[in-house]
Amino acid sequence: MQALLDDVASIVDTTDDQYEITKLVAERLSALLDSDYRLLPELTRPSADHHVNYPLHIAPDGSWSVAVVVWAPGQRTPVHGHETWGVVGIYSGSEREIRYAKPTGPGPLTPMGEQVWERGQVTVCCTTDDDVHAVVAAADEPTIGIHVYGADIGTIERRLYDPATGEVRWFVGGWNTP
Ligand SMILES: [Fe+2]
């Protein structure tokens, strides 16, 4: 994990291009998931109520962060945006991702398809122009993702969407305590 953190710090120092950053971070995250790296047990515990976001690392200047996101089977997120770049790797379980086009005006959201991501897979979930989705934990065991974002994802203002109307509500996701 320290190697991943060092690599991400170096990547975000080297370029501001979010497409380049996410491509490089995805390569590093993929290598981590292919290794024998194991998360601390306290970072893998689901909550009965809702999926949880544990902070694995927050850059001192808040310019990027690494979250461990844990869902109990069947838990789902509302449709949400991220307002930054993001790379998601599946550590255990599986995520069904339902994507939407980022709206440029009022009205219902346009679905862009679904995909199931399995353990070991890595996906660029977000660039600032394409960052709207909902996620469902699709496995019988807890689903655990390691997510790298181009901001302190627990503290920034983000959008929640009503996909039927396009109505937006702003929220702050927060961090959970392991
Ligand atoms: Fe998300």
Side-chain angles (χ1 to χ4, degrees):
M1 176 52 70
Q2 191 56 49
L4 176 84
L5 300 180
D6 292 345
D7 286 346
V8 175
S10 157
I11 291 164
V12 300
D13 266 357
T14 306
T15 175
D16 292 328
D17 178 342
Q18 60 178 336
Y19 303 100
E20 182 71 9
I21 290 172
T22 48
K23 178 168 119 3
L24 294 171
V25 169
E27 289 172 7
R28 303 305 197 282
L29 187 52
S30 192
L32 179 81
L33 292 171
D34 287 343
S35 75
D36 56 5
Y37 173 71
R38 303 310 293 164
L39 288 166
L40 294 171
E42 57 263 37
L43 294 175
T44 65
R45 290 192 193 114
S47 154
D49 304 330
H50 198 273
H51 73 280
V52 286
N53 304 300
Y54 298 124
L56 219 161
H57 183 78
I58 302 168
D61 66 355
S63 63
W64 58 279
S65 60
V66 182
V68 179
V69 185
V70 184
W71 287 265
Q75 287 180 340
R76 58 175 61 224
T77 71
V79 179
H80 62 276
H82 304 75
E83 319 302 332
T84 184
W85 59 261
V87 181
V88 168
I90 311 299
Y91 176 85
S92 73
S94 61
E95 291 187 8
R96 176 179 300 113
E97 181 188 31
I98 304 108
R99 298 190 71 95
Y100 297 87
K102 186 160 188 166
T104 53
L109 299 194
T110 304
M112 298 296 285
E114 295 190 16
Q115 189 150 0
V116 175
W117 302 101
E118 306 281 0
R119 187 164 65 87
Q121 291 189 297
V122 172
T123 172
V124 175
C125 76
C126 327
T127 48
T128 50
D129 56 336
D130 179 16
D131 73 331
V132 181
H133 71 179
V135 173
V136 182
D140 295 335
E141 59 180 317
T143 290
I144 303 171
I146 299 176
H147 298 197
V148 186
Y149 293 108
D152 178 341
I153 199 67
T155 63
I156 60 168
E157 299 258 348
R158 298 159 61 193
R159 290 174 176 94
L160 285 178
Y161 297 90
D162 179 338
T165 64
E167 188 187 336
V168 167
R169 190 157 60 80
W170 287 85
F171 79 110
V172 175
W175 291 109
N176 295 97
T177 306

